[in-house]
Amino acid sequence: MFNNKKQIVLLIASLLITVFVFAQNREGDTIQTGVIDVVKPYTPTISDAFKVKETPTLDDTETTTKKEVKYNIFSFPVASTFTPAKGKAAVVDKAKKVKLFNNYATLGVGTYTTVLGEVYLNHAIGRDEVFSAYIGHHSSQGDIENVLTDNGFSDSKLNLNYSKNNRDYSWSVLGGFQYQTYNWYGLQQPLFNQATADTLDVGHNFTNAYVGGDITFEDAILSSGSVFFRRFGDSYGSGENRFKANGIGIINIQDNEVKTEVFIDYLGGNFDRAYAIDAELKYGNFQVGVAPTFQLKQDDLTVDLGVKAVFLNDTEASKSKFFIYPNIAASYRLVDEVLIAFGGVKGGLIQNSYYDFAQDNAFVSPNLFIAPTDQQYNAFAGLKGKLSNTMSYSVSGHYKAEKNKPLFVNNDITQTTEAYTYGNSFGVTYDDVTTFSIAGELNVDINRNFTLGIKGEYFSYDTKTEAEAWNLPDIKASVFLDYQINDHWFAGANLFYIGERKDQFNVPSLISPTFGVVTLDSYFDANAHVGYHINDRFSVFAKANNIAGEEYTKWQNTPVQGIQFLAGATYKFDF
């Protein structure tokens, strides 16, 4: 397997020859030569062997004579009316073949004036060409109790994809557009009243347009490659461009295959003004990196040895820096598929973006400081495997160190002319954070009719300058369940639990500034659905969200809707 084997064999052979020659030429050899006289030639003979006689002699005084036995066989016909029946193959119950469709349309309506609609189209243009499209819309009027402003939302999206398979390679292109609307409805109460809320236009929106493509080769040095470009913006004049490209190939070094990834990642954008300051914010970060990985396999052991080297250029600050990260992972089958030990140490330079922050927290203000996160290392170890053919598990521990980790914080209450300066929006602060976590996961899949997933994580944080790891929970837990009851009925449920988080409350003032730490209570969210297949094409469904009816706050001052109900239908079809 290894290059050193040939060298070791040659070295051993050379040593043996040297020892042999040395032994033949030693000084002081005491063996003397002589003459051997042969008297006569040697004639070998074979002596007779003692053999037991085949027929022993009987020495009994009395021997009996054998009596002669005579017998006759009488044959006569037997009358029978039995006629054997011809064999027939047993009848096997066949399951009804399920009709599969390439397209579907869904429409649902519910409480809080909620509308849900989806259309998915998938069409084979030729033998090796496929075009698909997805259109989705989800909106609600909000109507959350004890909220002073509008609190509805909407999310509309369009995704297009074209793919083609050739003999030696396959490729695809994609594109899409997304339009989202939200409201900064989390005004600090009772600090502000309805009269103040009526003067604010808390609505804002995000736009997202993207194009991309990827290609995969068979039996080539370059195995795959991809490109992606996104333009993201908001209703406050902010704009962000991101371009990513990467290629993965196999390089042979002395008959050893080294998987190598080369990538570039450019991010650039601007905000019309900083928070509470009339000054434009610009940012730009360009990354280029390479990540070679060499895999070693021996019996039940698999080891991936690699590094990741990244060059970062801050285009606005005209500063550059070079980073090197470990990229090591290993696994060992202790008991076949039942018990597998795994571990490793990895790291990387994480490219944070306005788009990513807005998807995590829709209430961010349009003036964030954008910078990458230096994840110096992420060490992990654990056990995983299968308890049976239908049940798998995983238990692991993580310890990671990150420089410039982003943390969401409630913005200062400055009460300017901007609608997001009343404690109802969020900014981003950065700190060096180390995180220790323990996670466990259990998955059950029985004939695809019943699937169950249980996952839990515990976190412990240590910050360098900030008082708390703002808005990061100490516990996360979830349960997912899907059950195909019979050919017509189906049901499912998912449950989430998020532990306590910390946030800040800040009212800057020259006379009497106020600062405090706010504890956000843990919350539990249970959701369930049930449906009925009327036939192969039509099905109806009903959903219940936040069944506990708890109007918890995921982010400070932003309570969610209580219990929600939605009902609708799905139609599947082909062209």
Side-chain angles (χ1 to χ4, degrees):
M1 177 182 295
F2 305 101
N3 249 355
N4 294 332
K5 285 187 176 179
K6 293 182 179 179
Q7 298 177 0
I8 294 173
V9 172
L10 292 175
L11 179 61
I12 294 174
S14 300
L15 291 174
L16 290 176
I17 293 172
T18 302
V19 172
F20 179 78
V21 172
F22 177 76
Q24 294 297 320
N25 294 278
R26 294 184 302 173
E27 294 184 358
D29 195 345
T30 58
I31 299 178
Q32 299 179 357
T33 58
V35 178
I36 300 175
D37 296 329
V38 178
V39 178
K40 68 174 183 177
Y42 174 68
T43 304
T45 59
I46 300 175
S47 61
D48 293 336
F50 173 76
K51 298 180 181 180
V52 178
K53 295 182 179 180
E54 295 182 357
T55 306
T57 303
L58 298 177
D59 295 333
D60 295 343
T61 57
E62 182 180 349
T63 59
T64 59
T65 61
K66 295 182 179 179
K67 185 178 181 180
E68 184 179 359
V69 178
K70 296 180 178 181
Y71 57 90
N72 295 319
I73 298 176
F74 298 96
S75 299
F76 59 91
V78 177
S80 176
T81 58
F82 172 75
T83 303
K86 295 181 178 180
K88 295 182 179 180
V91 178
V92 179
D93 295 333
K94 297 181 179 180
K96 183 180 178 181
K97 187 176 181 179
V98 178
K99 172 65 176 177
L100 300 178
F101 297 91
N102 293 323
N103 316 279
Y104 75 87
T106 297
L107 178 64
V109 294
T111 55
Y112 297 97
T113 320
T114 301
V115 177
L116 174 66
E118 291 181 338
V119 176
Y120 176 76
L121 306 175
N122 187 74
H123 180 63
I125 301 175
R127 181 179 179 182
D128 301 316
E129 298 176 80
V130 176
F131 173 78
S132 61
Y134 172 82
I135 302 173
H137 175 80
H138 185 202
S139 64
S140 177
Q141 293 301 314
D143 299 329
I144 302 174
E145 294 183 1
N146 302 320
V147 171
L148 303 178
T149 66
D150 294 336
N151 48 82
F153 73 90
S154 70
D155 185 359
S156 303
K157 62 183 69 175
L158 168 66
N159 299 328
L160 303 174
N161 183 276
Y162 172 81
S163 61
K164 181 176 176 59
N165 294 324
N166 294 308
R167 181 177 180 180
D168 298 323
Y169 65 94
S170 60
W171 59 276
S172 66
V173 293
L174 56 88
F177 180 79
Q178 184 178 22
Y179 181 75
Q180 300 169 296
T181 64
Y182 297 96
N183 291 279
W184 289 300
Y185 62 83
L187 271 68
Q188 291 278 1
Q189 298 184 52
L191 190 60
F192 303 108
N193 54 26
Q194 189 65 55
T196 303
D198 292 340
T199 64
L200 302 177
D201 181 10
V202 295
H204 63 286
N205 63 65
F206 301 117
T207 56
N208 171 33
Y210 62 89
V211 294
D214 61 75
I215 188 169
T216 303
F217 297 95
E218 295 290 339
D219 300 326
I221 296 177
L222 179 64
S223 59
S224 65
S226 65
V227 294
F228 183 83
F229 174 77
R230 169 181 282 118
R231 171 66 181 182
F232 183 71
D234 60 28
S235 55
Y236 278 74
S238 308
E240 180 181 80
N241 298 317
R242 187 171 187 180
F243 176 78
K244 298 190 295 182
N246 80 313
I248 299 176
I250 303 297
I251 300 176
N252 285 316
I253 301 178
Q254 296 182 352
D255 297 331
N256 293 313
E257 292 186 348
V258 179
K259 181 180 179 181
T260 304
E261 178 184 8
V262 179
F263 60 90
I264 61 174
D265 190 345
Y266 168 76
L267 179 74
N270 69 285
F271 298 102
D272 273 1
R273 57 172 296 166
Y275 190 82
I277 301 176
D278 190 8
E280 185 181 17
L281 283 177
K282 291 185 178 181
Y283 57 94
N285 297 301
F286 175 74
Q287 298 182 17
V288 58
V290 59
T293 303
F294 176 60
Q295 187 176 83
L296 300 173
K297 283 187 176 181
Q298 186 172 5
D299 299 331
D300 294 326
L301 176 65
T302 301
V303 180
D304 291 329
L305 299 175
V307 296
K308 181 182 291 186
V310 184
F311 174 78
L312 170 67
N313 176 245
D314 187 335
T315 59
E316 291 297 324
S318 299
K319 294 182 179 179
S320 300
K321 195 172 182 180
F322 186 73
F323 302 86
I324 295 181
Y325 301 100
N327 190 17
I328 302 171
S331 65
Y332 183 74
R333 298 178 183 273
L334 297 172
V335 186
D336 294 331
E337 297 291 335
V338 177
L339 185 62
I340 301 174
F342 64 92
V345 182
K346 296 187 176 184
L349 191 62
I350 302 172
Q351 185 82 288
N352 298 310
S353 67
Y354 183 30
Y355 169 80
D356 293 331
F357 290 144
Q359 299 308 302
D360 291 340
N361 185 347
F363 307 108
V364 291
S365 59
N367 33 44
L368 305 177
F369 179 69
I370 307 297
T373 297
D374 175 16
Q375 187 179 92
Q376 296 176 307
Y377 60 85
N378 180 8
F380 59 93
L383 298 172
K384 63 181 180 179
K386 291 184 177 181
L387 299 176
S388 67
N389 291 332
T390 60
M391 186 179 299
S392 62
Y393 70 93
S394 176
V395 180
S396 62
H398 294 252
Y399 184 79
K400 59 184 177 181
E402 297 171 296
K403 284 188 174 182
N404 289 329
K405 181 179 178 63
L407 304 171
F408 290 111
V409 292
N410 189 252
N411 278 325
D412 297 346
I413 301 175
T414 57
Q415 304 181 52
T416 67
T417 56
E418 301 296 342
Y420 53 79
T421 60
Y422 291 76
N424 54 343
S425 68
F426 293 81
V428 174
T429 187
Y430 294 85
D431 196 10
D432 297 346
V433 181
T434 57
T435 305
F436 171 75
S437 63
I438 299 176
E441 186 174 358
L442 180 67
N443 293 290
V444 179
D445 189 346
I446 302 177
N447 298 328
R448 297 185 179 180
N449 291 328
F450 178 85
T451 58
L452 172 67
I454 303 173
K455 185 177 182 179
E457 292 179 276
Y458 168 77
F459 303 90
S460 177
Y461 309 99
D462 184 20
T463 58
K464 183 177 181 180
T465 58
E466 296 292 331
E468 300 284 350
W470 307 116
N471 283 293
L472 293 180
D474 56 351
I475 296 176
K476 284 184 178 180
S478 60
V479 178
F480 297 91
L481 168 67
D482 280 302
Y483 181 38
Q484 184 69 42
I485 303 172
N486 54 39
D487 292 340
H488 293 282
W489 288 98
F490 61 92
N494 53 74
L495 301 89
F496 302 92
Y497 176 81
I498 303 296
E500 287 186 350
R501 292 134 293 139
K502 303 288 185 179
D503 200 355
Q504 66 180 23
F505 171 82
N506 188 23
V507 184
S509 173
L510 295 176
I511 301 175
S512 57
T514 303
F515 179 83
V517 175
V518 178
T519 300
L520 303 178
D521 294 335
S522 59
Y523 64 86
F524 174 79
D525 193 337
N527 311 283
H529 68 270
V530 63
Y532 182 80
H533 294 295
I534 300 174
N535 52 42
D536 290 340
R537 295 180 179 269
F538 282 100
S539 61
V540 293
F541 62 87
K543 295 182 178 181
N545 296 329
N546 195 8
I547 298 175
E550 179 185 2
E551 295 184 354
Y552 58 83
T553 55
K554 181 178 180 179
W555 306 102
Q556 187 181 169
N557 305 319
T558 57
V560 301
Q561 295 172 339
I563 186 169
Q564 310 147 42
F565 297 99
L566 184 140
T570 299
Y571 174 67
K572 293 176 285 188
F573 59 96
D574 282 332
F575 290 116

